[in-house]
Amino acid sequence: MAGIDYSKWDKMDYGESSSDESAEDKMGAEAAYPGRPRVTRLDGPARVTRDADGMITIDSSGVDPSTAISSPSTKEGTSTTNAAATTSSNMPSTADTEPRAVHAQSSQTALDDRLTTNGGRFIDEQTKSHIFWSQDRQEVVISVEFDAEKIKSRNIQVEASGMVPYSERNAAVAGSSGVSDSPYGKLKVTAKLDSGENATLLEGDLPHSVHLAEDEDDIEWDILSECDRKFVRITLRKAVPMAGIVVWWDQILQQTPKIDLSSIRGRGRQSASVENAWEEAHRMFKEKVKKGQVCHSSED
């Protein structure tokens, strides 16, 4: 039996193996494990480009890590990706934040529109409060916006005087309020600030008569929280000289800005008989005032 020649092992290098595979080793691995994904580790920022034919190019020169995550190439069928962008993958992209911002703005606009239906909005000259108001045929709703960081809801008070009783809601004329210096009554919204100071959010004389709800002795109000904003919402029920008459308000207090009533949707002209009845009611009231026959009902 012929002897074994071990001379070919004499030139073997038994030193530490390199962590980097040669091109032949990589090709051999791909041949030995077909379909196995090929992974390339990048030591720093690099631009990776994949052409339409599948050719991948890695360019690590002149790449800023703060550049965009991806951008389209001018060559059709190619795309370019900044490999360093993986470090900021947890940050929200513009594509994520823009729709949210648009939705928030849309919600704010819808809220403002709802609070000013057939009414308006303004900044009160005396209190600098942002006031929104709306109305329909039966009610006026006033929304006074306030800073929730400075004012707690429990520290807000709404005071109203000169409200017409429910039983007289269809027989109200100027002077029915019983308030000597305000023929239709007064409204005042105040708050105690976190600093301990008292602040007035809205105050003034009402331009028309307001009646109380049935079995109630005060006007209705609550706190509205919507779209990260807070409002004192006050509901005023319209009182009229006679049933069937609709009174459209052009302002919420006698010193506040007026709106153009012709812009109100669905507002029709009163019939001649209703207008005559309105004028007759005021004429009769003036006659009673001259004769000293006006009296004001009181509730127990």
Side-chain angles (χ1 to χ4, degrees), residues 19-51:
S19 60
D20 295 331
E21 296 179 305
S22 65
E24 291 81 8
D25 293 334
K26 293 179 181 179
M27 292 178 63
E30 292 176 357
Y33 303 100
R36 180 178 178 179
R38 178 178 172 180
V39 179
T40 301
R41 183 181 300 275
L42 303 177
D43 295 329
R47 190 176 301 279
V48 180
T49 304
R50 183 181 184 278
D51 294 335

PDB file of all heavy atoms in Angstrom, residues 19-51:
ATOM      1  N   SER A  19     -12.344  38.130   9.613  1.00  0.00           N
ATOM      2  CA  SER A  19     -13.808  38.242   9.738  1.00  0.00           C
ATOM      3  C   SER A  19     -14.453  38.575   8.413  1.00  0.00           C
ATOM      4  O   SER A  19     -15.657  38.408   8.251  1.00  0.00           O
ATOM      5  CB  SER A  19     -14.159  39.339  10.762  1.00  0.00           C
ATOM      6  OG  SER A  19     -13.630  40.579  10.343  1.00  0.00           O
ATOM      7  N   ASP A  20     -13.692  39.055   7.457  1.00  0.00           N
ATOM      8  CA  ASP A  20     -14.239  39.407   6.147  1.00  0.00           C
ATOM      9  C   ASP A  20     -14.022  38.260   5.178  1.00  0.00           C
ATOM     10  O   ASP A  20     -12.899  37.782   5.013  1.00  0.00           O
ATOM     11  CB  ASP A  20     -13.562  40.662   5.577  1.00  0.00           C
ATOM     12  CG  ASP A  20     -13.860  41.873   6.428  1.00  0.00           C
ATOM     13  OD1 ASP A  20     -14.949  41.885   7.045  1.00  0.00           O
ATOM     14  OD2 ASP A  20     -13.005  42.785   6.468  1.00  0.00           O
ATOM     15  N   GLU A  21     -15.070  37.850   4.536  1.00  0.00           N
ATOM     16  CA  GLU A  21     -14.976  36.786   3.546  1.00  0.00           C
ATOM     17  C   GLU A  21     -14.448  37.356   2.242  1.00  0.00           C
ATOM     18  O   GLU A  21     -14.701  38.505   1.895  1.00  0.00           O
ATOM     19  CB  GLU A  21     -16.347  36.165   3.294  1.00  0.00           C
ATOM     20  CG  GLU A  21     -16.936  35.472   4.512  1.00  0.00           C
ATOM     21  CD  GLU A  21     -18.298  34.917   4.173  1.00  0.00           C
ATOM     22  OE1 GLU A  21     -19.146  35.693   3.720  1.00  0.00           O
ATOM     23  OE2 GLU A  21     -18.484  33.706   4.343  1.00  0.00           O
ATOM     24  N   SER A  22     -13.672  36.528   1.511  1.00  0.00           N
ATOM     25  CA  SER A  22     -13.206  36.933   0.186  1.00  0.00           C
ATOM     26  C   SER A  22     -14.342  36.806  -0.796  1.00  0.00           C
ATOM     27  O   SER A  22     -15.377  36.225  -0.500  1.00  0.00           O
ATOM     28  CB  SER A  22     -12.032  36.039  -0.249  1.00  0.00           C
ATOM     29  OG  SER A  22     -12.471  34.702  -0.410  1.00  0.00           O
ATOM     30  N   ALA A  23     -14.133  37.363  -1.969  1.00  0.00           N
ATOM     31  CA  ALA A  23     -15.169  37.284  -2.997  1.00  0.00           C
ATOM     32  C   ALA A  23     -15.453  35.849  -3.363  1.00  0.00           C
ATOM     33  O   ALA A  23     -16.605  35.462  -3.585  1.00  0.00           O
ATOM     34  CB  ALA A  23     -14.719  38.073  -4.242  1.00  0.00           C
ATOM     35  N   GLU A  24     -14.367  34.978  -3.405  1.00  0.00           N
ATOM     36  CA  GLU A  24     -14.574  33.559  -3.742  1.00  0.00           C
ATOM     37  C   GLU A  24     -15.371  32.854  -2.662  1.00  0.00           C
ATOM     38  O   GLU A  24     -16.232  32.014  -2.946  1.00  0.00           O
ATOM     39  CB  GLU A  24     -13.217  32.861  -3.925  1.00  0.00           C
ATOM     40  CG  GLU A  24     -12.427  33.306  -5.154  1.00  0.00           C
ATOM     41  CD  GLU A  24     -11.696  34.602  -4.900  1.00  0.00           C
ATOM     42  OE1 GLU A  24     -11.684  35.062  -3.748  1.00  0.00           O
ATOM     43  OE2 GLU A  24     -11.179  35.198  -5.873  1.00  0.00           O
ATOM     44  N   ASP A  25     -15.080  33.181  -1.358  1.00  0.00           N
ATOM     45  CA  ASP A  25     -15.820  32.567  -0.270  1.00  0.00           C
ATOM     46  C   ASP A  25     -17.294  32.917  -0.347  1.00  0.00           C
ATOM     47  O   ASP A  25     -18.169  32.077  -0.119  1.00  0.00           O
ATOM     48  CB  ASP A  25     -15.243  33.018   1.072  1.00  0.00           C
ATOM     49  CG  ASP A  25     -13.832  32.480   1.285  1.00  0.00           C
ATOM     50  OD1 ASP A  25     -13.521  31.436   0.692  1.00  0.00           O
ATOM     51  OD2 ASP A  25     -13.073  33.122   2.044  1.00  0.00           O
ATOM     52  N   LYS A  26     -17.597  34.187  -0.631  1.00  0.00           N
ATOM     53  CA  LYS A  26     -18.989  34.614  -0.707  1.00  0.00           C
ATOM     54  C   LYS A  26     -19.717  33.930  -1.844  1.00  0.00           C
ATOM     55  O   LYS A  26     -20.858  33.494  -1.709  1.00  0.00           O
ATOM     56  CB  LYS A  26     -19.059  36.133  -0.890  1.00  0.00           C
ATOM     57  CG  LYS A  26     -18.561  36.888   0.340  1.00  0.00           C
ATOM     58  CD  LYS A  26     -18.625  38.374   0.089  1.00  0.00           C
ATOM     59  CE  LYS A  26     -18.106  39.139   1.313  1.00  0.00           C
ATOM     60  NZ  LYS A  26     -18.121  40.586   1.102  1.00  0.00           N
ATOM     61  N   MET A  27     -19.051  33.825  -2.973  1.00  0.00           N
ATOM     62  CA  MET A  27     -19.670  33.163  -4.115  1.00  0.00           C
ATOM     63  C   MET A  27     -19.899  31.706  -3.798  1.00  0.00           C
ATOM     64  O   MET A  27     -20.928  31.120  -4.155  1.00  0.00           O
ATOM     65  CB  MET A  27     -18.785  33.320  -5.359  1.00  0.00           C
ATOM     66  CG  MET A  27     -18.698  34.759  -5.874  1.00  0.00           C
ATOM     67  SD  MET A  27     -17.615  34.916  -7.307  1.00  0.00           S
ATOM     68  CE  MET A  27     -18.489  33.901  -8.470  1.00  0.00           C
ATOM     69  N   GLY A  28     -18.929  31.075  -3.059  1.00  0.00           N
ATOM     70  CA  GLY A  28     -19.108  29.681  -2.697  1.00  0.00           C
ATOM     71  C   GLY A  28     -20.269  29.501  -1.739  1.00  0.00           C
ATOM     72  O   GLY A  28     -21.020  28.526  -1.819  1.00  0.00           O
ATOM     73  N   ALA A  29     -20.431  30.435  -0.788  1.00  0.00           N
ATOM     74  CA  ALA A  29     -21.543  30.343   0.157  1.00  0.00           C
ATOM     75  C   ALA A  29     -22.875  30.485  -0.553  1.00  0.00           C
ATOM     76  O   ALA A  29     -23.836  29.794  -0.236  1.00  0.00           O
ATOM     77  CB  ALA A  29     -21.387  31.428   1.222  1.00  0.00           C
ATOM     78  N   GLU A  30     -22.943  31.384  -1.524  1.00  0.00           N
ATOM     79  CA  GLU A  30     -24.195  31.560  -2.251  1.00  0.00           C
ATOM     80  C   GLU A  30     -24.533  30.331  -3.056  1.00  0.00           C
ATOM     81  O   GLU A  30     -25.691  29.945  -3.195  1.00  0.00           O
ATOM     82  CB  GLU A  30     -24.090  32.779  -3.166  1.00  0.00           C
ATOM     83  CG  GLU A  30     -24.015  34.094  -2.395  1.00  0.00           C
ATOM     84  CD  GLU A  30     -23.822  35.266  -3.312  1.00  0.00           C
ATOM     85  OE1 GLU A  30     -23.698  35.030  -4.539  1.00  0.00           O
ATOM     86  OE2 GLU A  30     -23.782  36.408  -2.822  1.00  0.00           O
ATOM     87  N   ALA A  31     -23.460  29.672  -3.608  1.00  0.00           N
ATOM     88  CA  ALA A  31     -23.710  28.447  -4.384  1.00  0.00           C
ATOM     89  C   ALA A  31     -24.134  27.306  -3.472  1.00  0.00           C
ATOM     90  O   ALA A  31     -24.974  26.479  -3.829  1.00  0.00           O
ATOM     91  CB  ALA A  31     -22.445  28.067  -5.157  1.00  0.00           C
ATOM     92  N   ALA A  32     -23.511  27.260  -2.241  1.00  0.00           N
ATOM     93  CA  ALA A  32     -23.832  26.170  -1.328  1.00  0.00           C
ATOM     94  C   ALA A  32     -25.215  26.343  -0.708  1.00  0.00           C
ATOM     95  O   ALA A  32     -25.878  25.361  -0.376  1.00  0.00           O
ATOM     96  CB  ALA A  32     -22.767  26.098  -0.234  1.00  0.00           C
ATOM     97  N   TYR A  33     -25.656  27.624  -0.503  1.00  0.00           N
ATOM     98  CA  TYR A  33     -26.957  27.884   0.118  1.00  0.00           C
ATOM     99  C   TYR A  33     -27.781  28.782  -0.798  1.00  0.00           C
ATOM    100  O   TYR A  33     -27.938  29.980  -0.559  1.00  0.00           O
ATOM    101  CB  TYR A  33     -26.770  28.572   1.472  1.00  0.00           C
ATOM    102  CG  TYR A  33     -25.911  27.770   2.430  1.00  0.00           C
ATOM    103  CD1 TYR A  33     -24.566  28.098   2.601  1.00  0.00           C
ATOM    104  CD2 TYR A  33     -26.453  26.699   3.135  1.00  0.00           C
ATOM    105  CE1 TYR A  33     -23.774  27.375   3.470  1.00  0.00           C
ATOM    106  CE2 TYR A  33     -25.662  25.970   4.005  1.00  0.00           C
ATOM    107  CZ  TYR A  33     -24.319  26.303   4.180  1.00  0.00           C
ATOM    108  OH  TYR A  33     -23.552  25.590   5.032  1.00  0.00           O
ATOM    109  N   PRO A  34     -28.282  28.228  -1.872  1.00  0.00           N
ATOM    110  CA  PRO A  34     -29.083  29.044  -2.803  1.00  0.00           C
ATOM    111  C   PRO A  34     -30.338  29.579  -2.110  1.00  0.00           C
ATOM    112  O   PRO A  34     -30.976  28.867  -1.345  1.00  0.00           O
ATOM    113  CB  PRO A  34     -29.427  28.055  -3.917  1.00  0.00           C
ATOM    114  CG  PRO A  34     -29.321  26.706  -3.272  1.00  0.00           C
ATOM    115  CD  PRO A  34     -28.217  26.810  -2.263  1.00  0.00           C
ATOM    116  N   GLY A  35     -30.690  30.857  -2.383  1.00  0.00           N
ATOM    117  CA  GLY A  35     -31.873  31.461  -1.793  1.00  0.00           C
ATOM    118  C   GLY A  35     -31.630  32.108  -0.444  1.00  0.00           C
ATOM    119  O   GLY A  35     -32.501  32.778   0.104  1.00  0.00           O
ATOM    120  N   ARG A  36     -30.447  31.897   0.121  1.00  0.00           N
ATOM    121  CA  ARG A  36     -30.127  32.506   1.407  1.00  0.00           C
ATOM    122  C   ARG A  36     -29.876  34.001   1.201  1.00  0.00           C
ATOM    123  O   ARG A  36     -29.136  34.390   0.314  1.00  0.00           O
ATOM    124  CB  ARG A  36     -28.877  31.850   1.984  1.00  0.00           C
ATOM    125  CG  ARG A  36     -28.452  32.412   3.351  1.00  0.00           C
ATOM    126  CD  ARG A  36     -27.248  31.651   3.844  1.00  0.00           C
ATOM    127  NE  ARG A  36     -26.785  32.184   5.120  1.00  0.00           N
ATOM    128  CZ  ARG A  36     -25.746  31.689   5.789  1.00  0.00           C
ATOM    129  NH1 ARG A  36     -25.075  30.645   5.300  1.00  0.00           N
ATOM    130  NH2 ARG A  36     -25.379  32.213   6.940  1.00  0.00           N
ATOM    131  N   PRO A  37     -30.511  34.881   2.045  1.00  0.00           N
ATOM    132  CA  PRO A  37     -30.331  36.328   1.841  1.00  0.00           C
ATOM    133  C   PRO A  37     -28.911  36.751   2.104  1.00  0.00           C
ATOM    134  O   PRO A  37     -28.254  36.237   3.008  1.00  0.00           O
ATOM    135  CB  PRO A  37     -31.291  36.947   2.866  1.00  0.00           C
ATOM    136  CG  PRO A  37     -31.467  35.895   3.905  1.00  0.00           C
ATOM    137  CD  PRO A  37     -31.408  34.592   3.170  1.00  0.00           C
ATOM    138  N   ARG A  38     -28.464  37.677   1.330  1.00  0.00           N
ATOM    139  CA  ARG A  38     -27.115  38.214   1.478  1.00  0.00           C
ATOM    140  C   ARG A  38     -27.179  39.492   2.304  1.00  0.00           C
ATOM    141  O   ARG A  38     -27.916  40.413   1.973  1.00  0.00           O
ATOM    142  CB  ARG A  38     -26.526  38.498   0.103  1.00  0.00           C
ATOM    143  CG  ARG A  38     -25.119  39.115   0.162  1.00  0.00           C
ATOM    144  CD  ARG A  38     -24.593  39.315  -1.242  1.00  0.00           C
ATOM    145  NE  ARG A  38     -23.359  40.059  -1.240  1.00  0.00           N
ATOM    146  CZ  ARG A  38     -22.694  40.376  -2.350  1.00  0.00           C
ATOM    147  NH1 ARG A  38     -23.177  40.006  -3.524  1.00  0.00           N
ATOM    148  NH2 ARG A  38     -21.562  41.057  -2.280  1.00  0.00           N
ATOM    149  N   VAL A  39     -26.422  39.563   3.388  1.00  0.00           N
ATOM    150  CA  VAL A  39     -26.459  40.700   4.301  1.00  0.00           C
ATOM    151  C   VAL A  39     -25.137  41.440   4.232  1.00  0.00           C
ATOM    152  O   VAL A  39     -24.069  40.835   4.323  1.00  0.00           O
ATOM    153  CB  VAL A  39     -26.719  40.230   5.747  1.00  0.00           C
ATOM    154  CG1 VAL A  39     -26.723  41.430   6.690  1.00  0.00           C
ATOM    155  CG2 VAL A  39     -28.032  39.465   5.823  1.00  0.00           C
ATOM    156  N   THR A  40     -25.218  42.737   4.033  1.00  0.00           N
ATOM    157  CA  THR A  40     -24.029  43.575   4.015  1.00  0.00           C
ATOM    158  C   THR A  40     -24.109  44.569   5.159  1.00  0.00           C
ATOM    159  O   THR A  40     -25.089  45.317   5.274  1.00  0.00           O
ATOM    160  CB  THR A  40     -23.908  44.334   2.681  1.00  0.00           C
ATOM    161  OG1 THR A  40     -23.838  43.384   1.613  1.00  0.00           O
ATOM    162  CG2 THR A  40     -22.652  45.202   2.671  1.00  0.00           C
ATOM    163  N   ARG A  41     -23.121  44.582   6.055  1.00  0.00           N
ATOM    164  CA  ARG A  41     -23.103  45.496   7.188  1.00  0.00           C
ATOM    165  C   ARG A  41     -22.418  46.796   6.788  1.00  0.00           C
ATOM    166  O   ARG A  41     -21.338  46.781   6.213  1.00  0.00           O
ATOM    167  CB  ARG A  41     -22.374  44.845   8.360  1.00  0.00           C
ATOM    168  CG  ARG A  41     -22.371  45.712   9.641  1.00  0.00           C
ATOM    169  CD  ARG A  41     -21.610  45.031  10.754  1.00  0.00           C
ATOM    170  NE  ARG A  41     -22.210  43.771  11.076  1.00  0.00           N
ATOM    171  CZ  ARG A  41     -23.236  43.617  11.917  1.00  0.00           C
ATOM    172  NH1 ARG A  41     -23.764  44.690  12.481  1.00  0.00           N
ATOM    173  NH2 ARG A  41     -23.733  42.434  12.180  1.00  0.00           N
ATOM    174  N   LEU A  42     -23.074  47.903   7.090  1.00  0.00           N
ATOM    175  CA  LEU A  42     -22.536  49.218   6.770  1.00  0.00           C
ATOM    176  C   LEU A  42     -21.961  49.839   8.034  1.00  0.00           C
ATOM    177  O   LEU A  42     -22.615  49.876   9.073  1.00  0.00           O
ATOM    178  CB  LEU A  42     -23.627  50.124   6.194  1.00  0.00           C
ATOM    179  CG  LEU A  42     -24.336  49.584   4.933  1.00  0.00           C
ATOM    180  CD1 LEU A  42     -25.444  50.536   4.520  1.00  0.00           C
ATOM    181  CD2 LEU A  42     -23.349  49.378   3.791  1.00  0.00           C
ATOM    182  N   ASP A  43     -20.723  50.335   7.930  1.00  0.00           N
ATOM    183  CA  ASP A  43     -20.056  50.917   9.086  1.00  0.00           C
ATOM    184  C   ASP A  43     -20.448  52.369   9.334  1.00  0.00           C
ATOM    185  O   ASP A  43     -20.125  52.940  10.375  1.00  0.00           O
ATOM    186  CB  ASP A  43     -18.528  50.839   8.908  1.00  0.00           C
ATOM    187  CG  ASP A  43     -18.050  49.386   8.875  1.00  0.00           C
ATOM    188  OD1 ASP A  43     -18.697  48.553   9.540  1.00  0.00           O
ATOM    189  OD2 ASP A  43     -17.042  49.115   8.198  1.00  0.00           O
ATOM    190  N   GLY A  44     -21.132  52.990   8.400  1.00  0.00           N
ATOM    191  CA  GLY A  44     -21.514  54.390   8.553  1.00  0.00           C
ATOM    192  C   GLY A  44     -22.587  54.754   7.559  1.00  0.00           C
ATOM    193  O   GLY A  44     -23.125  53.883   6.855  1.00  0.00           O
ATOM    194  N   PRO A  45     -22.940  56.026   7.474  1.00  0.00           N
ATOM    195  CA  PRO A  45     -23.959  56.457   6.511  1.00  0.00           C
ATOM    196  C   PRO A  45     -23.574  56.087   5.089  1.00  0.00           C
ATOM    197  O   PRO A  45     -22.417  56.239   4.683  1.00  0.00           O
ATOM    198  CB  PRO A  45     -24.002  57.979   6.700  1.00  0.00           C
ATOM    199  CG  PRO A  45     -23.443  58.193   8.077  1.00  0.00           C
ATOM    200  CD  PRO A  45     -22.410  57.125   8.275  1.00  0.00           C
ATOM    201  N   ALA A  46     -24.536  55.577   4.345  1.00  0.00           N
ATOM    202  CA  ALA A  46     -24.285  55.197   2.953  1.00  0.00           C
ATOM    203  C   ALA A  46     -25.561  55.318   2.159  1.00  0.00           C
ATOM    204  O   ALA A  46     -26.659  55.238   2.708  1.00  0.00           O
ATOM    205  CB  ALA A  46     -23.736  53.768   2.882  1.00  0.00           C
ATOM    206  N   ARG A  47     -25.400  55.511   0.862  1.00  0.00           N
ATOM    207  CA  ARG A  47     -26.547  55.600  -0.032  1.00  0.00           C
ATOM    208  C   ARG A  47     -26.631  54.311  -0.840  1.00  0.00           C
ATOM    209  O   ARG A  47     -25.683  53.934  -1.533  1.00  0.00           O
ATOM    210  CB  ARG A  47     -26.417  56.803  -0.964  1.00  0.00           C
ATOM    211  CG  ARG A  47     -27.683  57.113  -1.757  1.00  0.00           C
ATOM    212  CD  ARG A  47     -27.508  58.377  -2.573  1.00  0.00           C
ATOM    213  NE  ARG A  47     -27.199  59.515  -1.726  1.00  0.00           N
ATOM    214  CZ  ARG A  47     -28.111  60.213  -1.056  1.00  0.00           C
ATOM    215  NH1 ARG A  47     -29.391  59.869  -1.142  1.00  0.00           N
ATOM    216  NH2 ARG A  47     -27.749  61.233  -0.316  1.00  0.00           N
ATOM    217  N   VAL A  48     -27.766  53.615  -0.718  1.00  0.00           N
ATOM    218  CA  VAL A  48     -27.956  52.341  -1.393  1.00  0.00           C
ATOM    219  C   VAL A  48     -28.921  52.539  -2.549  1.00  0.00           C
ATOM    220  O   VAL A  48     -30.044  53.020  -2.355  1.00  0.00           O
ATOM    221  CB  VAL A  48     -28.506  51.269  -0.416  1.00  0.00           C
ATOM    222  CG1 VAL A  48     -28.684  49.951  -1.137  1.00  0.00           C
ATOM    223  CG2 VAL A  48     -27.579  51.113   0.777  1.00  0.00           C
ATOM    224  N   THR A  49     -28.481  52.178  -3.760  1.00  0.00           N
ATOM    225  CA  THR A  49     -29.294  52.352  -4.961  1.00  0.00           C
ATOM    226  C   THR A  49     -29.530  51.009  -5.635  1.00  0.00           C
ATOM    227  O   THR A  49     -28.579  50.252  -5.860  1.00  0.00           O
ATOM    228  CB  THR A  49     -28.619  53.308  -5.954  1.00  0.00           C
ATOM    229  OG1 THR A  49     -28.357  54.554  -5.292  1.00  0.00           O
ATOM    230  CG2 THR A  49     -29.504  53.564  -7.159  1.00  0.00           C
ATOM    231  N   ARG A  50     -30.773  50.729  -5.937  1.00  0.00           N
ATOM    232  CA  ARG A  50     -31.125  49.491  -6.640  1.00  0.00           C
ATOM    233  C   ARG A  50     -31.718  49.851  -7.988  1.00  0.00           C
ATOM    234  O   ARG A  50     -32.752  50.511  -8.085  1.00  0.00           O
ATOM    235  CB  ARG A  50     -32.126  48.668  -5.836  1.00  0.00           C
ATOM    236  CG  ARG A  50     -32.492  47.330  -6.476  1.00  0.00           C
ATOM    237  CD  ARG A  50     -33.510  46.584  -5.616  1.00  0.00           C
ATOM    238  NE  ARG A  50     -33.808  45.272  -6.148  1.00  0.00           N
ATOM    239  CZ  ARG A  50     -34.668  45.013  -7.117  1.00  0.00           C
ATOM    240  NH1 ARG A  50     -35.324  46.029  -7.679  1.00  0.00           N
ATOM    241  NH2 ARG A  50     -34.877  43.790  -7.549  1.00  0.00           N
ATOM    242  N   ASP A  51     -31.053  49.424  -9.071  1.00  0.00           N
ATOM    243  CA  ASP A  51     -31.524  49.709 -10.418  1.00  0.00           C
ATOM    244  C   ASP A  51     -32.642  48.759 -10.796  1.00  0.00           C
ATOM    245  O   ASP A  51     -32.939  47.800 -10.090  1.00  0.00           O
ATOM    246  CB  ASP A  51     -30.373  49.587 -11.420  1.00  0.00           C
ATOM    247  CG  ASP A  51     -29.317  50.662 -11.182  1.00  0.00           C
ATOM    248  OD1 ASP A  51     -29.684  51.711 -10.611  1.00  0.00           O
ATOM    249  OD2 ASP A  51     -28.150  50.436 -11.543  1.00  0.00           O
TER     250      ASP A  51
END
